[in-house]
Amino acid sequence: MDPTFKIHGLSAFYGAKEVLKGININILPNSVTAIIGPSGCGKSTFIRSLNRINDLILNFHTAGKVFYHNQDIYAKDVDVFDLRRRIGMVFQKPNPFPKSIYDNIAYGLRIHDFTTREMIDEIVQKSLKKAALWDEVKDSLKQNALTLSGGQQQRLCIARTLAIEPEVILFDEPCSALDPISTAKIEELIHQLKQNYTIIIVTHNMQQAARVSDYAGFFLLGELIEFDKTEVIFKAPKDKRTEDYITGRFG
Amino acid sequence: MLLKRKFILKTKEILIERLLFFCSLLSVVTTLGIILVLLFETLDFFKEVPVWQFLTDTQWTPLFVNKHFGILPLLCGTFLTTLIAISVAIPVGLASAVYLSEYASLKIRNIVKPLMEILAAVPTVVYGYFALLFVTPLLRKIIPDLSGFNSLSSGIVMGIMIIPLISSLSEDAMRAVPMGLREGAYAVGSNRLQVALRIVLPAALSGIIAASILAISRAIGETMIVAIAAGQQPRLTLNPLVPIQTITAYIVQISLGDTPHGTLEYRTIFACGMSLFIMTFILNIFSFKLKRRFQEIYE
Amino acid sequence: MNNPALSKINSSFVRKSGVNRRLDSGFRILGIASTAFGLVVLLVLIIDIFLDGADRIKWDFFVSFPSRKPELAGILSAWVGTVWIMVLTALIALPLGIGAGIYLEEYARKNYLTNFIEINIANLAGVPSVIYGLLGLGLFVRYFNLDRSVLAGGLTLALLILPVIILSTREALRAIPSSIREASYALGATKWQTVQHQLFPAALGNIMTGVILAMSRAAGETAPLITIGALTYIAFLPQSPVAFSGGFPFIHFSLQGLFDPFTVLPIQIFNWVSRPQKGFFADAAAGIIVLLGLTLIMNAIAILLRHHYQKKVRW
């Protein structure tokens, strides 16, 4: 199987500070890859480098190569806006737009030139169903999205991402601001989405990583210490540092 | 001994607090002073000129033998110059705010913003000179019918003067929009313009409107540019090419002459000032409330 | 997944020249042009004024009174008046404005009165300057009988810039993290001790920035001073506060100058612009060079000061 991402020696810097040091990973399609590690290890920076959302941060730059279907996404002629459409992202804190539920999802479609009402209606409904939110909001699509609960907002953000049919979805600690019930719903969702999407999830919650992922990578101080099948990482890690982290022996 | 020291310390604290409170009360006294001074003379004015005549008469000729006291021509002049000014300042100021907030690098922003401040700091008498002796002659090459005094060039120059106000306040409002919203929009593949127009602008709208209203209020009250370059002919017209007079310019005109204290002519400037104060007061309060509502959402 | 419209845009993410992309880069150009527009005008204005007035900038121009002959006219009474007015305005507005700012930010409780004061100050900051002139005319010139004196002018401008000073004082204090206050109170300091020893010194740089900007505004104000009746043609100076003379004790102090009539630079400029004779336009332009120089220097100092303090202090 051709990997979706081939990452070669990716380093990342905020100004002069190196936060990622020569990361090498291949990400396989239709799998869930979890990125784990203590806070400040660079896992968020890593995932945010994959759709170049970190370009928004001043003084941020990268070295190395990130191949997405054999195209280096940091190459000069890459259209980052189109790239981001194909690599969706769900953030740590739910960030629905201050618009109606319907418009939140329709937004992505409209900016990509979907204009017919019927088509948008259909995709909005489909996306909300896929995000397991439809039953809760189908009677209040015109309501402002900010009135939803945190867990609902996060599922709305997932629906928003699904609507434009990306191939990859990046989850940056999607449950860190949510209660356990909402977390369970999102995890269930990720499990289902795996059928159609390639998923990368950053989490500080090891149980979560063990529950949802097929592959796991352990980051420490900007380096990738170990990358393997999730059960290997959790049951038989090769590196002492991974083992220490998994067993909770440090930070 | 210690007790006495404590007592002194406490008394000092109380005295200082009283003193500082008095300082802040002074601002209320100032407003009160403005209202009373204007009201006092305006009431005297209305003893001689009925309010309805002041509001409906279409001529303003207090210095002629045949006196008319209709504020409409002055109001019209103020409206005209303000309209021209904001049609320059709002589009240019907003485009510049969007650029500075969503496109420009930090480096460019750090250089441009202080320069814009200088634009706002230029004394208005300088802009008046510029409008009269540079912009009007320049426009005359394109529009030969343009009078030497007109509302067009004063309006344009006034607009340029308030660009920084709109640009800087709108940019502040846009930058107060949480980064998370932008990230969400970029993550679904928006380009900068789409993020700016569809996400940031609507989210910052009340702040931007507050800035625009403040700019309108500023244009209504602007004095020296129009006193120098717009003329001294109160008339009911929307033609930007002919001399007109604004409320503020009239106040300057009378102040320059030697109209004796206590005469009807003297009181006209207070009646004019009252009208000006009421208009700007309403706009200022409206702008303040909007801005506060905006801040409550995002801060 | 198999939406035809989507598969079309799914094809490639290498840069395309779609309408959206063109609008995006088109707007960048529009934004740059809009931002540059005002700055270009400023440049044109400065060049224009230099071309018109640079010839008149000579020593004589600074030491001559205005005259009926354009080539003999100078700004002596105008710049001396401006110095008088600015010193006076600063002396009145600074303590009051900073004091009010400290009260509102550090002492005031959130209640109706302080809320009212806050709205009131926001409104005052937006009241047209010519209205302050009417206030000065009614209150200082007429009611207090100060006539068209330096004192009446200084008081009027002090009220005018008061809101600006209050607002910048408050902003400067607000920028200080509450941990500083807590640390001071934890040592048993009183409120005033905290303000005096911790907050005020920490905020001073930013307060000064606001004060200088306010003063630069006062230096350029024309309308309120015209309204209180400041004269446009003055061929004498207010009596100097310090005089040296032959008699004992050789140096004399007097505040009599406060009650003398005055003119200021912007009014002198306005007077020259309003003259029909073309010759005075050069005098106006030369006066503007001086006034603009003063304003720009003050603004530059304010910007540098702010820059300096932003760099030095990082909370």
Side-chain angles (χ1 to χ4, degrees):
Chain A
M1 217 168 5
D2 236 12
T4 308
F5 280 106
K6 277 187 283 188
I7 297 156
H8 282 314
L10 174 67
S11 296
F13 307 83
Y14 295 112
K17 195 173 167 232
E18 189 176 19
V19 288
L20 283 181
K21 297 166 188 167
I23 307 296
N24 296 299
I25 299 188
N26 285 352
I27 305 280
L28 294 177
N30 296 358
S31 67
V32 177
T33 304
I35 305 293
I36 57 173
S39 37
C41 68
K43 54 190 194 299
S44 251
T45 304
F46 171 72
I47 198 174
R48 288 168 60 95
S49 299
L50 298 184
N51 67 343
R52 292 186 58 179
I53 199 84
N54 252 3
D55 287 13
L56 301 180
I57 292 173
L58 295 163
N59 293 328
F60 176 81
H61 60 278
T62 57
K65 289 196 174 351
V66 177
F67 290 104
Y68 173 65
H69 294 304
N70 299 319
Q71 165 71 46
D72 180 10
I73 64 167
Y74 282 95
K76 246 199 161 122
D77 58 346
V78 164
D79 183 328
V80 286
F81 306 115
D82 201 38
L83 173 80
R84 292 187 191 130
R85 196 202 61 69
R86 312 215 304 163
I87 305 172
M89 184 164 215
V90 176
F91 296 83
Q92 206 166 346
K93 209 172 146 245
N95 56 355
F97 305 128
K99 300 171 184 288
S100 72
I101 294 170
Y102 181 93
D103 285 337
N104 257 276
I105 297 170
Y107 172 81
L109 300 168
R110 291 192 183 122
I111 62 162
H112 294 298
D113 299 332
F114 280 69
T115 42
T116 62
R117 178 87 200 179
E118 298 79 40
M119 209 190 241
I120 294 180
D121 279 348
E122 187 196 318
I123 299 177
V124 166
Q125 183 175 347
K126 222 165 73 184
S127 312
L128 282 169
K129 278 182 179 157
K130 276 199 232 164
L133 190 60
W134 175 252
D135 291 334
E136 292 160 62
V137 301
K138 63 181 176 214
D139 300 320
S140 51
L141 291 176
K142 292 284 159 229
Q143 200 182 313
N144 192 307
L146 297 174
T147 58
L148 296 174
S149 73
Q152 288 174 322
Q153 287 188 7
Q154 196 63 303
R155 274 178 285 148
L156 179 65
C157 291
I158 294 174
R160 181 174 76 189
T161 307
L162 296 178
I164 49 165
E165 305 205 346
E167 187 193 4
V168 180
I169 305 178
L170 309 172
F171 287 88
D172 185 4
E173 301 200 30
C175 304
S176 64
L178 303 182
D179 60 88
I181 294 171
S182 304
T183 302
K185 280 186 185 160
I186 304 256
E187 284 180 13
E188 168 64 26
L189 201 53
I190 291 173
H191 200 71
Q192 287 168 15
L193 292 174
K194 194 170 83 170
Q195 317 301 322
N196 296 316
Y197 303 89
T198 304
I199 291 173
I200 305 175
I201 176 171
V202 162
T203 176
H204 59 261
N205 178 335
M206 280 178 290
Q207 285 77 34
Q208 184 170 62
R211 283 193 300 264
V212 301
S213 67
D214 307 312
Y215 298 90
F218 172 60
F219 277 59
L220 188 61
L221 299 171
E223 282 177 77
L224 176 65
I225 304 299
E226 193 169 350
F227 181 74
D228 213 321
K229 286 204 151 70
T230 302
E231 62 249 38
V232 177
I233 291 282
F234 279 88
K235 292 191 181 120
K238 293 182 189 72
D239 195 290
K240 178 81 170 55
R241 289 167 291 182
T242 314
E243 193 187 338
D244 285 351
Y245 182 71
I246 299 295
T247 52
R249 232 172 283 162
F250 78 72
Chain B
M1 202 51 206
L2 196 68
L3 266 176
K4 197 176 167 197
R5 221 187 90 96
K6 240 182 187 168
F7 176 75
I8 291 173
L9 204 65
K10 208 168 174 189
T11 318
K12 189 177 153 201
E13 283 290 315
I14 292 170
L15 278 178
I16 286 172
E17 177 162 0
R18 292 263 164 83
L19 194 70
L20 295 176
F21 177 67
F22 166 77
C23 290
S24 65
L25 214 55
L26 194 68
S27 69
V28 181
V29 176
T30 307
T31 306
L32 216 61
I34 290 175
I35 294 173
L36 286 180
V37 165
L38 292 178
L39 204 62
F40 193 66
E41 300 282 354
T42 305
L43 286 179
D44 276 351
F45 173 79
F46 284 131
K47 274 180 200 153
E48 290 176 63
V49 178
V51 180
W52 61 266
Q53 195 197 327
F54 180 69
L55 294 177
T56 57
D57 195 326
T58 56
Q59 284 183 64
W60 180 261
T61 55
L63 303 177
F64 293 3
V65 182
N66 179 17
K67 290 183 194 313
H68 282 272
F69 297 96
I71 189 135
L72 286 177
L74 295 181
L75 215 52
C76 179
T78 296
F79 172 75
L80 188 56
T81 47
T82 303
L83 189 71
I84 296 169
I86 60 166
S87 359
V88 172
I90 290 184
V92 178
L94 265 185
S96 153
V98 169
Y99 171 74
L100 288 175
S101 139
E102 306 300 319
Y103 285 77
S105 67
L106 187 68
K107 210 168 158 188
I108 289 180
R109 204 155 51 214
N110 283 345
I111 295 170
V112 166
K113 286 198 83 171
L115 286 175
M116 291 283 252
E117 272 178 55
I118 290 178
L119 195 63
V122 171
T124 54
V125 68
V126 178
Y127 281 120
Y129 176 98
F130 186 65
L132 180 69
L133 297 175
F134 185 86
V135 177
T136 296
L138 187 72
L139 287 176
R140 264 182 151 169
K141 288 184 184 146
I142 312 162
I143 316 166
D145 285 349
L146 191 68
S147 308
F149 297 100
N150 59 77
S151 50
L152 185 61
S153 50
S154 16
I156 291 173
V157 172
M158 204 149 90
I160 293 168
M161 181 188 77
I162 54 182
I163 288 172
L165 182 79
I166 293 187
S167 156
S168 134
L169 292 180
S170 305
E171 195 218 328
D172 288 348
M174 288 193 255
R175 284 163 61 76
V177 172
M179 200 58 199
L181 284 186
R182 287 189 184 84
E183 287 183 345
Y186 278 119
V188 292
S190 317
N191 61 34
R192 269 168 306 222
L193 187 62
Q194 288 162 336
V195 172
L197 297 187
R198 290 168 182 257
I199 302 297
V200 179
L201 268 185
L205 195 62
S206 53
I208 291 169
I209 294 176
S212 305
I213 292 173
L214 207 61
I216 293 173
S217 160
R218 183 77 196 279
I220 289 177
E222 172 43 41
T223 309
M224 292 321 289
I225 299 176
V226 284
I228 292 172
Q232 299 190 336
Q233 297 178 25
R235 65 170 103 190
L236 211 50
T237 178
L238 289 177
N239 180 356
L241 307 180
V242 297
I244 48 104
Q245 187 165 41
T246 65
I247 301 178
T248 51
Y250 173 75
I251 296 175
V252 166
Q253 187 196 353
I254 295 299
S255 306
L256 284 171
D258 35 23
T259 315
H261 169 230
T263 60
L264 186 59
E265 288 78 11
Y266 173 79
R267 286 183 186 126
T268 54
I269 62 174
F270 289 91
C272 285
M274 192 61 156
S275 322
L276 195 61
F277 180 73
I278 291 171
M279 284 191 288
T280 52
F281 178 81
I282 292 171
L283 292 172
N284 292 346
I285 296 295
F286 189 44
S287 166
F288 179 79
K289 296 262 173 186
L290 264 177
K291 192 176 160 207
R292 187 178 266 188
R293 211 176 67 189
F294 175 74
Q295 283 169 341
E296 272 162 11
I297 300 175
Y298 292 112
E299 281 167 19
Chain C
M1 263 315 243
N2 297 320
N3 198 310
L6 273 171
S7 64
K8 184 185 81 206
I9 56 174
N10 248 333
S11 53
S12 155
F13 58 87
V14 171
R15 190 165 294 169
K16 289 170 295 200
S17 58
V19 179
N20 284 335
R21 305 292 185 274
R22 262 177 298 179
L23 281 176
D24 185 40
S25 37
F27 188 84
R28 170 186 279 280
I29 294 165
L30 184 72
I32 293 174
S34 298
T35 308
F37 176 61
L39 302 178
V40 169
V41 171
L42 183 65
L43 196 68
V44 169
L45 183 152
I46 291 173
I47 292 172
D48 175 50
I49 280 162
F50 264 88
L51 289 179
D52 291 355
D55 288 347
R56 293 287 294 121
I57 300 283
K58 292 186 192 109
W59 180 247
D60 282 350
F61 187 66
F62 292 89
V63 295
S64 305
F65 286 111
S67 158
R68 263 171 297 155
K69 292 185 182 141
E71 61 281 4
L72 296 179
I75 53 168
L76 180 59
S77 47
W79 75 254
V80 172
T82 290
V83 170
W84 265 97
I85 288 287
M86 284 182 65
V87 169
L88 198 59
T89 303
L91 286 178
I92 302 164
L94 254 59
L96 292 172
I98 294 174
I102 290 175
Y103 181 82
L104 290 172
E105 198 58 36
E106 300 297 327
Y107 286 81
R109 288 159 206 89
K110 280 267 162 215
N111 60 27
Y112 272 114
L113 181 63
T114 52
N115 187 37
F116 175 71
I117 292 179
E118 219 163 286
I119 298 179
N120 178 54
I121 290 173
N123 175 53
L124 278 181
V127 168
S129 61
V130 68
I131 304 253
Y132 282 93
L134 292 173
L135 170 68
L137 177 62
L139 194 66
F140 304 129
V141 177
R142 299 284 169 218
Y143 191 77
F144 289 130
N145 258 320
L146 295 175
D147 216 356
R148 330 169 138 186
S149 61
V150 173
L151 185 58
L155 285 166
T156 304
L157 287 192
L159 290 185
L160 174 75
I161 64 167
L162 208 53
V164 186
I165 294 180
I166 296 175
L167 291 174
S168 51
T169 304
R170 295 193 63 179
E171 240 168 71
L173 289 169
R174 207 174 303 149
I176 301 173
S178 53
S179 57
I180 298 280
R181 292 176 184 80
E182 285 158 12
S184 175
Y185 291 136
L187 294 172
T190 63
K191 199 146 211 169
W192 177 245
Q193 286 168 332
T194 306
V195 170
Q196 192 185 2
H197 299 298
Q198 305 302 331
L199 305 181
F200 187 69
L204 191 61
N206 285 331
I207 294 178
M208 283 322 289
T209 306
V211 164
I212 293 172
L213 290 177
M215 290 309 298
S216 120
R217 182 170 166 206
E221 275 297 347
T222 324
L225 295 180
I226 289 179
T227 311
I228 65 163
L231 297 173
T232 52
Y233 184 93
I234 283 204
F236 55 87
L237 301 178
Q239 188 181 327
S240 167
V242 185
F244 300 96
S245 72
F248 187 78
F250 306 111
I251 178 164
H252 302 270
F253 299 97
S254 156
L255 290 177
Q256 198 52 45
L258 286 179
F259 302 98
D260 289 339
F262 69 101
T263 190
V264 290
L265 257 178
I267 293 186
Q268 186 63 67
I269 294 165
F270 173 59
N271 175 256
W272 281 329
V273 176
S274 319
R275 296 285 188 90
Q277 301 98 308
K278 279 223 158 92
F280 284 111
F281 291 160
D283 288 331
I288 287 174
I289 293 175
V290 177
L291 181 64
L292 211 52
L294 181 71
T295 326
L296 294 188
I297 288 170
M298 291 177 84
N299 271 270
I301 293 174
I303 290 166
L304 290 177
L305 207 63
R306 183 170 50 203
H307 193 68
H308 175 75
Y309 276 92
Q310 272 172 356
K311 263 201 171 156
K312 205 174 102 188
V313 185
R314 242 180 241 289
W315 304 107

